[in-house]
Amino acid sequence: MSDIVKSTPKVADHGAFGVSGTGDTSGYGGLVRKSSQIGSSERPFGSYFDEVVDDLERAYPSFSDAIEKVIVDRGELTLHVKSSRLSEVALILRDELKFEMCMGVSGAHYPAETGRELHALYPLLSLTRNQRIRLEVSVPDSNPHIPSLVEIWASNNWQERETFDMFGIIFDGHPALTRIMMPDDWPGHPQRKDYPLGGIPVEYKGATVPPPNERRSYR
């Protein structure tokens, strides 16, 4: 009779919400989401979106070279702009198409998009036209430089600092691009998807919050 060897199952870490067995201590239990890139939308775009794109094409002769794609999705118009042409497009939109307000800038990190890992998104509002659109710029993680729009929309000052702080996007020409939320010597950028999840003790008035895989399991 052959010997029967019984293996001892490996005990996985228990993380937030008692999750175990996945190696994921965040509490999401190994949730995997498939990402897909959306191609350019076809005309007619609908709503006022055709009007905006037509006006921009007439006002900006280099439209086809500067705009990588036009996407209409979930009721929003997004113009994907080359980083090198962002300032030109922004000026045309402000001065010619009367998008007087930029509501800030936010970052996004897509590690699977090789050469386009970091994105900056700008929601624009035209009070004159009562219309909203978005600009989106993609840059590689290896060279995360995007022109600052502070001289065009001064309200972007703190938002660009926050996006730099959280994602590591460098806004060239910003008057004082420093961290705004984290300490100046903080390593890394906390909202990037490659930033370590947990494992960093944080003190609150003398108390300590342990990393997820050391927390108590509530069942």
Side-chain angles (χ1 to χ4, degrees):
M1 179 181 295
S2 60
D3 294 334
I4 299 177
V5 179
K6 294 183 178 180
S7 60
T8 303
K10 182 179 179 181
V11 179
D13 287 343
H14 289 267
F17 316 116
V19 65
S20 63
T22 66
D24 177 5
T25 60
S26 68
Y28 290 96
L31 178 65
V32 177
R33 293 183 178 179
K34 295 182 179 179
S35 60
S36 59
Q37 295 186 13
I38 302 175
S40 295
S41 300
E42 296 183 359
R43 286 178 180 267
F45 301 134
S47 186
Y48 54 80
F49 300 152
D50 292 277
E51 175 189 353
V52 171
V53 174
D54 289 342
D55 288 348
L56 182 57
E57 286 182 332
R58 284 191 289 267
Y60 187 48
S62 301
F63 178 93
S64 59
D65 293 330
I67 308 299
E68 296 179 328
K69 55 185 174 180
V70 178
I71 293 179
V72 176
D73 185 48
R74 296 175 176 84
E76 293 183 321
L77 170 67
T78 302
L79 304 174
H80 287 251
V81 186
K82 292 180 180 178
S83 176
S84 59
R85 299 295 186 90
L86 176 61
S87 299
E88 297 176 6
V89 173
L91 276 172
I92 294 293
L93 288 170
R94 188 195 66 178
D95 297 341
E96 302 295 331
L97 274 67
K98 305 305 179 185
F99 280 89
E100 303 96 342
M101 296 183 66
C102 179
M103 312 305 291
V105 56
S106 57
H109 183 212
Y110 301 101
E113 292 188 16
T114 304
R116 302 169 59 90
E117 294 89 354
L118 294 171
H119 293 225
L121 302 98
Y122 305 82
L124 306 183
L125 169 64
S126 171
L127 299 175
T128 301
R129 305 166 65 119
N130 190 25
Q131 296 172 350
R132 295 176 183 266
I133 65 172
R134 294 198 315 166
L135 303 181
E136 185 166 344
V137 180
S138 306
V139 290
D141 186 13
S142 59
N143 187 32
H145 290 264
I146 294 177
S148 172
L149 297 184
V150 171
E151 291 189 1
I152 299 174
W153 290 294
S155 59
N156 269 31
N157 191 315
W158 285 13
Q159 283 81 3
E160 288 185 3
R161 287 179 60 193
E162 181 179 353
T163 305
F164 161 71
D165 194 356
M166 295 291 105
F167 291 92
I169 297 175
I170 301 171
F171 294 92
D172 295 328
H174 189 283
L177 191 63
T178 56
R179 289 187 183 272
I180 192 171
M181 301 180 71
M182 309 304 290
D184 288 339
D185 60 350
W186 190 266
H189 305 281
Q191 288 190 343
R192 288 172 54 116
K193 293 181 180 177
D194 56 4
Y195 189 80
L197 180 62
I200 301 175
V202 180
E203 293 185 359
Y204 294 95
K205 295 182 179 179
T208 300
V209 178
N213 63 335
E214 295 178 7
R215 295 177 192 169
R216 182 183 303 172
S217 173
Y218 297 94
R219 296 190 180 184

